Amino acid sequence: MNAIAYAHDHREEALEQLKHFLRIPSISTLSEHQEDMQRAAQWLQEQLTGLGMERVEIAPTPGHPIVYAEWLQAEGAPTVLIYGHYDVQPPDPLKEWQSDPFTPTEREGQLYARGASDDKGQLLVHVRALEALMKSAGGFPVNVKCLFEGEEEIGSTNLDAWINSNRERLAADVAIISDSHILNEQQPTIVYGLRGLSYIEVHVESARSDLHSGIYGGAVHNPLQALCEIIAQLHDNTGRITVPGFYDKVRPLDPEERAELARVPYNEDTLLEETGAPMAWGEPEFSVVERTTARPTLEVNGMGGGFMGEGAKTVLPAKAAAKLSMRLVPDQDPWEIATLVSEHLRKLAPPTIRLEVRELHHGWGAIIPRDIPPMKAASEAYEEVFGVRPIFVREGGSIPVVATLKKELGIDTVLMGFGLPDDNLHAPNEKMNISMFYRGIETAILFYQKLAEVM
Ligand code: BES
Ligand code: ZN
């Protein structure tokens, strides 16, 4: 039996395995889930050992563990590094979920659960492809190294150091990552650009403790109000970021790439339909595709402080805080950007409050050449399964390891996704389209087979 037929005959088993994975609430950002992170890593280790990978190990880091495995018996064949992440985002707001986020539930061809698409389903696509190849041929057409981390959603903070100190064992010809989405079910999509990210927290304080707003209001600057005043100055009214120097290193879009991005079948109408927003927003001189993939942004991810319980409470809060993130494009340096924004925040802070900035994490953006042989393998694999050739797009999201793999190992990454735009990543009711999961497994099998031919 060939690998594709094996995968086809074992679809139910693959889906059950995915459900098992999804039942582990491996939320990297919440410390009360530390044991679940360990459990998820162990579960992955068992699956990899079970399918015949060698040197399967759980490597501890100062944060969550890395799962590593390899199989190097394809003598003379290229080596591929498969990356995925087993951590997931918190499920909040819980009330918005139609079924429990950690009880995978099938509805109308979709499997709903936190992490279904980002990234457990897409990671498992590769595990199942390897299983099918191993069971049908007794080995893989290429040498394989698996690198699965548990800190992607919190900035891959400990991964860079681990990669740096394991450069020899990680040596490979190319990396493959499925952690992105395709344009729609009919149109496979290879991502050739990702944005970088710089994440900070701003803390504002005034009085020693909360105050009665009737006694002190009007004489003590309300920290929530002050923070709003500061944040409101970070963009001008066209949506351009006002931080001095912020755009200095932005790689300009050449007319050729702009023309290409203009061909991506995505426009303001698609955006409004996808999101439900009443109107598009942002830099008017750039298209929505450009704004969301090739232009940098500054977002307020959350703001807190004061009283938000039931009913009314008259209070002048002592503190307020906001979480800000900057999406960056090549060649913006995430550390430099954090410094520029922090300095600007401190300049905007009035003397009536105290302001402190804390840096959380940083990651570089990436642009991947489209003419390398592994892209051809991915393109052909997609075309065989979907019946159409993939288009190439840049994405607005971030996968920090892509830049790290280039810097530390000198390798390019093929971003071959199997998610869909309506998978609700990081949002309530995240799901994976079950047919995309199956087609992903077949595409991955073909990719590995073709990789051995093109390299
Ligand atoms: N899977 C996403 C990245 C992504 C989203 C790629 C959409 C392509 C399209 C990934 O898991 C993610 O969310 N990454 C974080 C990284 C950050 C915490 C450094 C992100 O982009 O917010
Ligand atoms: Zn992801």
Side-chain angles (χ1 to χ4, degrees):
M1 190 190 289
N2 71 25
I4 297 283
Y6 179 94
H8 198 272
D9 287 356
H10 292 77
R11 284 180 161 187
E12 302 283 294
E13 185 186 301
L15 194 63
E16 283 313 307
Q17 198 177 6
L18 175 56
K19 288 182 185 170
H20 211 103
F21 197 11
L22 292 170
R23 282 193 194 101
I24 309 171
S26 44
I27 307 166
S28 50
T29 200
L30 302 177
S31 48
E32 71 253 37
H33 286 280
Q34 207 161 328
E35 254 177 53
D36 296 317
M37 295 303 296
Q38 206 69 39
R39 273 209 297 143
Q42 264 156 20
W43 184 86
L44 267 178
Q45 183 188 35
E46 285 158 23
Q47 312 313 304
L48 292 166
T49 310
L51 76 85
M53 292 295 292
E54 291 163 356
R55 272 183 78 180
V56 188
E57 84 176 71
I58 296 183
T61 75
H64 303 304
I66 288 165
V67 181
Y68 177 79
E70 62 185 33
W71 187 93
L72 305 175
Q73 297 180 36
E75 228 175 286
T79 301
V80 62
L81 180 69
I82 309 172
Y83 165 94
H85 64 92
Y86 67 86
D87 64 324
V88 302
Q89 288 275 332
D92 309 64
L94 262 179
K95 282 208 307 271
E96 302 288 323
W97 283 78
Q98 285 179 34
S99 49
D100 181 81
F102 298 106
T103 308
T105 307
E106 283 181 56
R107 286 196 297 275
E108 290 163 13
Q110 318 284 339
L111 183 64
Y112 288 86
R114 171 56 87 229
S117 177
D118 185 11
D119 176 42
K120 287 174 170 173
Q122 298 201 61
L123 183 161
L124 212 63
V125 156
H126 291 277
V127 172
R128 292 303 304 187
L130 294 179
E131 158 126 19
L133 286 162
M134 183 63 88
K135 289 280 159 62
S136 56
F140 311 135
V142 288
N143 297 298
V144 172
K145 298 179 178 180
C146 294
L147 175 64
F148 298 147
E149 73 154 319
E151 299 193 308
E152 197 273 351
E153 300 291 5
I154 49 172
S156 301
T157 354
N158 294 294
L159 186 65
D160 286 15
W162 196 83
I163 291 178
N164 179 274
S165 45
N166 287 275
R167 274 162 46 194
E168 263 158 49
R169 105 156 118 162
L170 292 173
D173 297 294
V174 69
I176 175 89
I177 302 181
S178 296
D179 190 20
S180 51
H181 53 244
I182 64 174
L183 196 75
N184 59 55
E185 257 186 274
Q186 285 76 45
Q187 181 55 68
T189 310
I190 295 177
V191 173
Y192 73 94
L194 290 164
R195 287 194 285 191
L197 194 72
S198 192
Y199 207 117
I200 62 173
E201 257 176 33
V202 197
H203 293 263
V204 170
E205 290 184 19
S206 61
R208 257 190 311 275
S209 86
D210 285 4
L211 302 170
H212 188 296
S213 64
I215 303 177
Y216 296 102
V220 170
H221 200 168
N222 183 317
L224 267 169
Q225 181 192 336
L227 186 53
C228 290
E229 287 160 355
I230 293 166
I231 286 175
Q233 295 177 65
L234 296 177
H235 295 92
D236 69 15
N237 56 14
T238 69
R240 198 180 158 83
I241 297 155
T242 54
V243 177
F246 188 88
Y247 292 99
D248 282 2
K249 293 197 176 156
V250 171
R251 202 185 288 181
L253 273 168
D254 59 49
E256 223 174 286
E257 193 173 5
R258 289 196 86 169
E260 232 173 282
L261 291 176
R263 279 199 294 275
V264 176
Y266 189 96
N267 56 29
E268 266 188 57
D269 295 336
T270 341
L271 172 86
L272 299 186
E273 197 187 318
E274 248 174 47
T275 60
M279 204 181 143
W281 177 87
E283 298 178 289
E285 64 273 39
F286 294 97
S287 73
V288 291
V289 169
E290 290 169 343
R291 281 181 233 164
T292 54
T293 64
R295 293 290 297 166
T297 64
L298 184 155
E299 299 292 336
V300 185
N301 297 269
M303 248 180 107
F307 177 73
M308 280 299 287
E310 193 186 344
K313 180 186 186 214
T314 46
V315 63
L316 201 168
K319 300 175 187 179
K323 291 180 186 274
L324 305 183
S325 65
M326 286 70 75
R327 293 279 171 186
L328 310 175
V329 297
D331 303 296
Q332 286 180 297
D333 175 337
W335 280 266
E336 192 182 319
I337 290 292
T339 306
L340 288 177
V341 176
S342 306
E343 279 170 2
H344 191 57
L345 286 166
R346 280 193 282 271
K347 233 178 47 222
L348 293 176
T352 46
I353 51 122
R354 281 177 286 269
L355 179 141
E356 189 206 334
V357 180
R358 297 179 201 156
E359 296 188 16
L360 298 193
H361 59 72
H362 307 87
W364 287 85
I367 290 278
I368 306 149
R370 283 167 277 177
D371 53 2
I372 54 175
M375 290 290 188
K376 188 164 176 271
S379 177
E380 288 176 7
Y382 262 143
E383 189 173 354
E384 237 179 273
V385 176
F386 290 79
V388 277
R389 288 168 71 164
I391 54 165
F392 283 84
V393 302
R394 286 171 72 157
E395 263 297 347
S398 308
I399 307 176
V401 74
V402 174
T404 308
L405 293 176
K406 185 71 185 179
K407 177 168 162 263
E408 298 289 345
L409 310 177
I411 59 172
D412 289 310
T413 298
V414 175
L415 292 159
M416 187 171 73
F418 302 108
L420 289 173
D422 65 351
D423 279 351
N424 299 322
L425 306 192
H426 299 199
N429 304 307
E430 180 179 349
K431 54 93 176 160
M432 172 104 199
N433 180 301
I434 296 171
S435 122
M436 286 299 301
F437 177 59
Y438 296 148
R439 277 188 275 170
I441 297 169
E442 289 176 22
T443 310
I445 291 171
L446 293 172
F447 171 73
Y448 295 123
Q449 291 173 339
K450 289 175 191 297
L451 197 60
E453 294 161 18
V454 298
M455 288 192 91

